[in-house]
């Protein structure tokens, strides 16, 4: 029995000392270290404000680029730019507040007014970093949405290409021509899309042109003057074989060209947002260390002495269990059984007999 | 009687020195701006050197680059002098070279004004170069198989699309040259034989333009062939049709593009000149105020500063007299040298 109790005591002791403090690697061991951390974090928070502005401007840029070619998209792709813009603005605000807090942490008296706000601030920022990550991920998954929108949008634009006299559609011809010239593409998937369109309606001269394309499909690198009518008719042109002729017209479809263009933009933006996310997480970790260090200073009462800083007081499992219990107990109403001050009459005789024995105070 | 005399006490001197130091750093940045504008202009000329027949003059951008670098150096040096002028011991080492430095600044300002005038005047030789270059460019449009000229077609097409122009003076220039290569002409066909025999040089001329002349804003599909033949197209009158192809000539378009660029650069250089004159006057005030201290040992004493020690006319006559004296001095020296050997 003795060895059993000894073992239990040893286990109890080890439980008290081992993973009590998670990641105690960085301990602000001197008061000046704490000040240095506060100053560094102040600078980093201001840098984060600038990265927040960068996020905002990236979102704005993407929005402008999408608006420029809105006419060839069937539905508005505004989720990603709006997300980036709002995340950028929020990041500015959060980091601005963080900068002010870190600036005040140098002075213990000033820290008192932020004491209550710091933990909610850190929790909010922690969840906000997930938003940044979500923004980065959205950049990569937007592709399929965009492809579908471009497919239907281009199809419609090619159908209305001829309607230069109808209000609301009169500029589609120019938009389509400028697009094909700028991206060096032709049609939706290829130049044959123009053949299908022209089969449906007649052109101005009252003839049905079956295999012709607009002038904007003409390839710039072609050694011969552009052949845009009777494309599939080899005998209509001298020394011409449309199956081997590669440079005459732009072979790439505009859908693919635009998709590549936007994918490139969004991949770059996604990469930058990921880097900003890593930066924000590191700033958050620094602020958490500063917060715990300052709170320990206040607990010890002496601002010049050492204080420890940590990320979590207990291990992740314990903290999670603790918080879960809090949330669980929030839901429960106050119950009488839990209050030790109320004398609850119990039915058992034994407990009644035990009660007076327990209540005898031990006088010292 | 000095020109624009101003009384200085220590506080005023310090304020002037600080302000001037700031202005000098601003001038260094404006020097960098002039340098980068010269570089940009040079690159733009290089980009289209094919259309200028590869003999365009790079004189003006080179001058801009040189002036920009010189401005940076002079202004950085001037800034250092201003910084040292707050401390009388440090300023003593600069005292000797202040006057030559100010004269150099004056000459540099003249150079800046000359550069600005050059920028505005370069338009005229550029117009001639472009006219010649575009004419030759259009001649070589069809030579996509000749090494050295195979990219002329692409260059011209890109230029016509970018600058929204067609031909040299207008689209009719394309009617006068053969822009379809002989390899794509069927010499057995009657139509081709007719066209070739209809003109003296045996060229295949037609009233058509390349696709790059087409205007995307036109409500109807582009008419590039048989432009002057109204009956070949339904509801078409080439006299009134002005949206079909670009009406402007490429020489006009390019000259106005480069002219606009040069006007902007010229105006900026003039503004930089005004800034430079301002800092030069400021430096002269610092120089004179620090050399006329009432009590040389006491840095807090009052002093006077001016732009010129005498009035403009007197300074001018002084300079002329000095130059004459220098010239006479040489003559007298030569005279005595002649007399001495004669005497001996």
């Amino acid at each position: 029995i003795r060895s059993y109790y000894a073992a239990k005591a040893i286990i109890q002791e080890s439980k008290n000392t081992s993973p009590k403090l998670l990641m105690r690697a960085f301990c602000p061991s001197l008061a000046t270290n704490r000040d240095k951390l506060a100053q560094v974090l102040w600078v980093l928070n201001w840098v984060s404000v600038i990265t927040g502005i960068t996020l905002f401007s990236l979102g704005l840029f993407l929005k402008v680029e999408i608006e420029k070619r809105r006419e060839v998209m069937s539905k508005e792709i505004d989720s990603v730019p709006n997300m980036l813009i709002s995340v950028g603005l929020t990041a500015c605000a959060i980091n601005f507040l963080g900068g002010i807090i870190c600036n005040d942490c140098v002075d213990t008296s000033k820290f008192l007014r932020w004491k209550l706000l710091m933990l909610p601030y850190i929790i909010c920022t922690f969840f906000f970093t997930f938003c940044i990550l979500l923004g980065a991920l959205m950049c990569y998954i937007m592709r399929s949405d965009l492809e579908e929108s471009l497919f239907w949008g281009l199809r419609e634009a090619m159908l209305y290409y001829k309607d230069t006299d109808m209000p609301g559609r009169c500029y589609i011809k120019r938009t389509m021509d400028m697009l094909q010239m700028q991206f060096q593409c032709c049609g939706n998937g290829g130049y044959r899309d123009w053949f299908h369109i022209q089969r449906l309606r007649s052109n101005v001269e009252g003839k049905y042109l079956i295999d012709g394309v607009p002038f904007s499909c003409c390839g710039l690198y072609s050694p011969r003057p552009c052949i845009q009518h009777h494309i599939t008719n080899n005998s209509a042109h001298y020394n011409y074989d449309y199956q081997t002729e590669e440079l005459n017209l732009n072979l790439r479809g505009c859908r693919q060209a635009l998709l590549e263009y936007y994918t490139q933009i969004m991949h770059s933006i996604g990469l930058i947002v990921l880097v900003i996310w890593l930066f924000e997480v590191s700033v958050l970790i620094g602020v958490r260390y500063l917060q715990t260090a300052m709170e320990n200073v206040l607990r010890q009462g002496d601002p010049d002495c050492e204080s420890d800083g940590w990320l979590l007081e207990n291990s992740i499992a314990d903290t999670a269990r603790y918080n879960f219990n809090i949330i669980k107990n929030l839901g429960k109403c106050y119950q009488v059984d839990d209050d030790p001050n109320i004398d609850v009459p119990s039915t058992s005789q034994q407990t009644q007999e035990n009660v007076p024995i327990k209540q005898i105070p031990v006088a010292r | 009687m000095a020109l624009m005399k101003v009384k200085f006490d220590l506080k005023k001197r310090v304020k002037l020195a600080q302000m001037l130091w700031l202005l000098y750093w601003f001038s260094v940045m404006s020097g960098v701006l002039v340098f980068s504008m010269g570089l940009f202009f040079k690159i733009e000329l290089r980009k289209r050197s094919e259309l200028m027949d590869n003999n365009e003059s790079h004189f003006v951008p080179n001058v801009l680059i040189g002036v920009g670098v010189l401005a940076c150096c002079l202004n950085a040096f001037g800034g250092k002098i201003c910084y040292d002028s707050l401390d009388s011991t440090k300023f003593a080492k600069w005292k000797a070279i202040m006057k030559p430095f100010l004269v150099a600044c004056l000459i540099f300002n003249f150079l800046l004004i000359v550069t600005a005038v050059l920028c505005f005047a370069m338009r005229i030789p550029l117009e001639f170069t472009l006219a010649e270059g575009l004419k030759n460019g259009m001649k070589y449009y069809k030579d996509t198989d000749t090494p050295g000229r195979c990219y002329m077609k692409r260059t011209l097409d890109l230029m016509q699309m970018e600058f929204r122009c067609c031909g040299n003076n207008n689209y009719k220039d394309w009617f006068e040259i053969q822009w379809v290569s002989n390899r794509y002409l069927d010499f057995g066909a009657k139509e081709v034989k007719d066209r070739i025999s209809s003109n003296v040089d045996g060229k295949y001329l037609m009233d058509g333009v390349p696709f790059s002349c087409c205007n995307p804003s036109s409500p109807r599909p582009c008419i590039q062939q048989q432009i002057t033949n109204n009956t070949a197209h339904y509801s078409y009158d080439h006299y009134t049709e002005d949206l079909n192809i670009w009406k402007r000539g490429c020489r006009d378009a390019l000259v106005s593009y480069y002219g606009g660029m040069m006007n902007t650069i010229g105006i900026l250089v003039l503004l930089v000149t005004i800034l430079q004159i301002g800092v030069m006057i400021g430096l002269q005030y610092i120089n004179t105020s620090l050399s006329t201290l009432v009590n040389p040992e006491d840095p807090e004493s009052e002093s006077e500063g001016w732009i010129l020690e005498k009035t403009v006319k007197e300074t001018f006559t002084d300079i002329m007299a000095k130059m004459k004296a220098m010239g006479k001095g040489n003559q007298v020296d030569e005279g005595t040298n002649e007399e001495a050997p004669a005497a001996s």
Side-chain angles (χ1 to χ4, degrees), chain B residues 6-19 82-89 91 285-286 289-290 292-305:
Chain B
V6 175
K7 273 211 178 313
F8 281 101
D9 59 348
L10 179 71
K11 218 167 61 163
K12 230 177 172 179
R13 275 203 298 275
V14 167
K15 214 191 276 188
L16 177 67
Q18 284 172 340
M19 198 181 67
C82 276
Y83 187 71
D84 283 346
S85 69
L86 292 168
D87 184 355
S88 56
T89 47
F91 185 69
Y285 269 122
I286 283 191
S289 67
L290 280 175
T292 61
L293 286 169
V294 171
N295 181 6
E297 305 303 315
D298 177 19
E300 287 188 27
S301 59
E302 296 209 332
S303 63
E304 288 181 338

Coordinates of all heavy atoms in Angstrom, one line a residue, chain B residues 6-19 82-89 91 285-286 289-290 292-305:
Chain B
V6 N 19.6 90.9 -48.0 CA 18.8 90.4 -46.9 C 19.6 90.3 -45.7 O 20.7 89.8 -45.7 CB 18.1 89.1 -47.3 CG1 17.3 88.5 -46.1 CG2 17.3 89.2 -48.5
K7 N 19.1 90.8 -44.5 CA 19.8 90.6 -43.3 C 19.5 89.2 -42.7 O 18.4 88.7 -42.7 CB 19.3 91.7 -42.3 CG 20.0 93.0 -42.4 CD 20.1 93.7 -41.1 CE 20.9 95.0 -41.1 NZ 22.2 95.0 -41.8
F8 N 20.6 88.6 -42.1 CA 20.5 87.3 -41.6 C 20.9 87.2 -40.1 O 22.0 87.8 -39.8 CB 21.3 86.3 -42.3 CG 20.7 85.8 -43.6 CD1 21.2 86.4 -44.8 CD2 19.7 84.9 -43.7 CE1 20.6 86.0 -46.0 CE2 19.2 84.5 -44.9 CZ 19.6 85.0 -46.0
D9 N 20.1 86.6 -39.3 CA 20.7 86.3 -38.0 C 20.8 84.7 -37.9 O 20.5 84.0 -38.9 CB 19.8 86.8 -36.8 CG 18.4 86.2 -37.0 OD1 18.1 85.6 -38.0 OD2 17.6 86.3 -36.0
L10 N 21.3 84.2 -36.8 CA 21.6 82.8 -36.7 C 20.4 81.9 -37.1 O 20.4 81.0 -37.8 CB 22.1 82.4 -35.3 CG 22.5 80.9 -35.2 CD1 23.7 80.6 -36.0 CD2 22.7 80.5 -33.8
K11 N 19.2 82.3 -36.5 CA 18.0 81.5 -36.7 C 17.7 81.4 -38.1 O 17.3 80.4 -38.7 CB 16.9 82.1 -35.8 CG 16.0 81.0 -35.2 CD 15.1 81.6 -34.1 CE 14.1 82.6 -34.7 NZ 13.0 82.8 -33.8
K12 N 17.7 82.6 -38.8 CA 17.4 82.7 -40.2 C 18.3 81.8 -41.1 O 17.9 81.1 -42.0 CB 17.4 84.1 -40.7 CG 16.2 84.6 -41.4 CD 16.3 86.1 -41.7 CE 15.2 86.5 -42.6 NZ 15.3 87.9 -42.9
R13 N 19.6 81.9 -40.7 CA 20.6 81.2 -41.5 C 20.3 79.7 -41.4 O 20.4 78.9 -42.3 CB 22.0 81.5 -41.0 CG 22.6 82.7 -41.6 CD 24.1 82.7 -41.5 NE 24.6 82.6 -40.1 CZ 24.8 83.7 -39.3 NH1 24.6 84.9 -39.8 NH2 25.2 83.5 -38.1
V14 N 20.1 79.3 -40.1 CA 19.8 77.8 -39.9 C 18.6 77.4 -40.7 O 18.6 76.3 -41.3 CB 19.7 77.5 -38.4 CG1 19.1 76.2 -38.1 CG2 21.0 77.7 -37.7
K15 N 17.6 78.2 -40.6 CA 16.3 77.8 -41.3 C 16.6 77.7 -42.8 O 16.1 76.8 -43.5 CB 15.2 78.8 -41.0 CG 13.8 78.2 -41.0 CD 12.7 79.2 -41.0 CE 12.5 79.7 -39.6 NZ 11.3 80.6 -39.5
L16 N 17.3 78.7 -43.3 CA 17.6 78.7 -44.8 C 18.4 77.4 -45.1 O 18.1 76.8 -46.1 CB 18.4 80.0 -45.2 CG 18.8 80.0 -46.6 CD1 17.6 80.2 -47.5 CD2 19.8 81.2 -46.8
A17 N 19.4 77.1 -44.3 CA 20.2 76.0 -44.6 C 19.4 74.7 -44.6 O 19.5 73.8 -45.5 CB 21.4 75.9 -43.6
Q18 N 18.5 74.6 -43.6 CA 17.7 73.3 -43.5 C 16.8 73.2 -44.7 O 16.6 72.2 -45.3 CB 16.9 73.3 -42.2 CG 17.8 73.0 -41.0 CD 17.0 73.2 -39.7 OE1 16.0 73.9 -39.7 NE2 17.5 72.6 -38.7
M19 N 16.1 74.3 -45.0 CA 15.2 74.3 -46.1 C 15.9 74.0 -47.5 O 15.4 73.2 -48.3 CB 14.5 75.7 -46.3 CG 13.2 75.6 -47.1 SD 12.5 77.2 -47.2 CE 13.7 78.1 -48.2
C82 N 25.3 72.4 -48.0 CA 24.2 73.0 -47.1 C 24.3 72.4 -45.7 O 24.1 73.1 -44.7 CB 22.8 72.7 -47.7 SG 22.4 73.9 -48.9
Y83 N 24.4 71.0 -45.7 CA 24.4 70.4 -44.4 C 25.6 70.8 -43.6 O 25.5 71.0 -42.4 CB 24.5 68.9 -44.7 CG 24.3 68.0 -43.4 CD1 23.1 67.9 -42.8 CD2 25.4 67.3 -42.9 CE1 23.0 67.1 -41.7 CE2 25.3 66.6 -41.8 CZ 24.0 66.5 -41.2 OH 23.9 65.7 -40.0
D84 N 26.8 71.0 -44.2 CA 27.9 71.5 -43.5 C 27.9 72.9 -43.1 O 28.6 73.4 -42.3 CB 29.2 71.2 -44.4 CG 29.6 69.7 -44.4 OD1 29.0 69.0 -43.5 OD2 30.4 69.3 -45.2
S85 N 27.1 73.7 -43.8 CA 27.1 75.2 -43.6 C 26.5 75.5 -42.2 O 26.7 76.6 -41.7 CB 26.3 75.9 -44.6 OG 24.9 75.6 -44.5
L86 N 25.9 74.5 -41.5 CA 25.4 74.8 -40.2 C 26.5 74.9 -39.2 O 26.3 75.5 -38.1 CB 24.4 73.7 -39.8 CG 23.1 73.7 -40.6 CD1 22.3 72.4 -40.4 CD2 22.2 74.9 -40.3
D87 N 27.6 74.2 -39.5 CA 28.7 74.2 -38.6 C 29.9 75.0 -39.3 O 30.3 74.6 -40.4 CB 29.2 72.7 -38.4 CG 30.3 72.5 -37.4 OD1 30.8 73.6 -37.0 OD2 30.6 71.4 -37.1
S88 N 30.3 76.0 -38.6 CA 31.3 76.9 -39.3 C 32.6 76.3 -39.5 O 33.3 76.6 -40.5 CB 31.5 78.2 -38.5 OG 31.9 77.9 -37.2
T89 N 33.0 75.3 -38.7 CA 34.3 74.7 -38.9 C 34.3 73.8 -40.2 O 35.2 73.8 -41.0 CB 34.7 73.8 -37.7 OG1 33.6 73.0 -37.4 CG2 35.1 74.7 -36.5
F91 N 32.2 74.2 -42.6 CA 32.0 75.0 -43.8 C 33.3 75.7 -44.3 O 33.4 76.0 -45.5 CB 31.0 76.1 -43.5 CG 30.6 77.0 -44.7 CD1 29.8 76.4 -45.7 CD2 31.0 78.3 -44.8 CE1 29.5 77.2 -46.8 CE2 30.6 79.1 -45.9 CZ 29.9 78.5 -46.9
Y285 N 23.0 82.9 -51.3 CA 22.7 83.6 -50.0 C 23.4 83.0 -48.9 O 23.9 83.7 -48.0 CB 21.1 83.5 -49.8 CG 20.4 84.7 -50.3 CD1 19.3 84.5 -51.2 CD2 20.7 86.0 -50.0 CE1 18.7 85.6 -51.8 CE2 20.0 87.1 -50.5 CZ 19.0 86.8 -51.4 OH 18.3 87.9 -52.0
I286 N 23.4 81.7 -48.8 CA 24.2 81.0 -47.7 C 25.6 81.4 -47.7 O 26.3 81.7 -46.7 CB 24.0 79.5 -47.7 CG1 22.6 79.1 -47.2 CG2 25.1 78.8 -46.9 CD1 22.4 77.7 -47.0
S289 N 26.1 85.1 -46.8 CA 25.8 85.4 -45.4 C 26.8 84.8 -44.5 O 27.1 85.4 -43.4 CB 24.4 84.8 -45.0 OG 24.4 83.4 -45.1
L290 N 27.4 83.7 -44.8 CA 28.4 83.1 -43.9 C 29.8 83.8 -44.1 O 30.6 83.7 -43.2 CB 28.6 81.6 -44.2 CG 27.5 80.8 -43.6 CD1 27.6 79.3 -44.0 CD2 27.5 80.9 -42.1
T292 N 30.1 87.1 -44.6 CA 30.0 88.5 -44.1 C 29.6 88.6 -42.7 O 28.9 89.5 -42.3 CB 29.1 89.4 -45.0 OG1 27.8 88.8 -44.8 CG2 29.5 89.4 -46.4
L293 N 30.0 87.7 -41.9 CA 29.7 87.7 -40.4 C 30.3 89.0 -39.8 O 31.5 89.3 -40.0 CB 30.2 86.5 -39.7 CG 29.5 85.2 -40.0 CD1 30.3 84.0 -39.4 CD2 28.1 85.3 -39.3
V294 N 29.5 89.7 -39.0 CA 30.0 90.9 -38.4 C 31.2 90.6 -37.4 O 32.2 91.3 -37.4 CB 28.8 91.6 -37.6 CG1 29.3 92.7 -36.7 CG2 27.8 92.1 -38.5
N295 N 31.0 89.5 -36.7 CA 32.1 89.1 -35.8 C 32.4 87.7 -36.2 O 31.7 86.7 -35.8 CB 31.6 89.2 -34.3 CG 32.7 88.7 -33.4 OD1 33.8 88.5 -33.8 ND2 32.3 88.7 -32.1
P296 N 33.5 87.5 -36.9 CA 33.8 86.1 -37.5 C 33.9 85.0 -36.4 O 33.7 83.9 -36.7 CB 35.1 86.3 -38.2 CG 35.2 87.8 -38.5 CD 34.5 88.5 -37.3
E297 N 34.3 85.4 -35.2 CA 34.5 84.4 -34.2 C 33.1 83.9 -33.6 O 33.0 82.8 -33.2 CB 35.3 84.9 -33.0 CG 36.7 85.5 -33.5 CD 37.5 84.5 -34.3 OE1 37.6 83.3 -33.8 OE2 38.0 84.8 -35.4
D298 N 32.2 84.8 -33.6 CA 30.9 84.5 -32.9 C 29.9 84.0 -34.0 O 29.5 84.8 -34.8 CB 30.4 85.8 -32.2 CG 29.0 85.5 -31.6 OD1 28.7 84.3 -31.4 OD2 28.3 86.5 -31.3
P299 N 29.5 82.7 -33.9 CA 28.6 82.2 -34.9 C 27.2 82.8 -34.8 O 26.4 82.7 -35.7 CB 28.5 80.7 -34.7 CG 29.0 80.5 -33.3 CD 29.9 81.7 -33.0
E300 N 26.9 83.5 -33.7 CA 25.5 84.0 -33.5 C 25.4 85.4 -34.0 O 24.3 86.0 -33.9 CB 25.1 83.9 -32.1 CG 24.9 82.5 -31.6 CD 24.3 82.5 -30.2 OE1 23.6 83.4 -29.8 OE2 24.5 81.5 -29.5
S301 N 26.5 86.0 -34.6 CA 26.4 87.4 -35.0 C 25.5 87.5 -36.3 O 25.2 86.5 -37.0 CB 27.8 87.9 -35.3 OG 28.4 87.1 -36.3
E302 N 25.2 88.7 -36.6 CA 24.3 89.0 -37.7 C 25.2 89.0 -39.0 O 26.4 89.2 -38.9 CB 23.6 90.3 -37.6 CG 22.6 90.3 -36.4 CD 21.5 91.3 -36.7 OE1 21.7 92.2 -37.4 OE2 20.4 91.0 -36.1
S303 N 24.6 88.9 -40.1 CA 25.3 89.0 -41.4 C 24.3 89.4 -42.5 O 23.1 89.4 -42.3 CB 26.0 87.7 -41.7 OG 25.0 86.7 -41.9
E304 N 24.9 89.7 -43.6 CA 24.1 90.1 -44.7 C 24.3 89.1 -45.9 O 25.3 88.6 -46.0 CB 24.5 91.5 -45.2 CG 24.0 92.6 -44.3 CD 24.4 94.0 -44.8 OE1 25.4 94.0 -45.7 OE2 23.8 95.0 -44.4
G305 N 23.2 88.9 -46.6 CA 23.4 88.1 -47.8 C 22.8 88.7 -49.0 O 21.9 89.6 -49.0

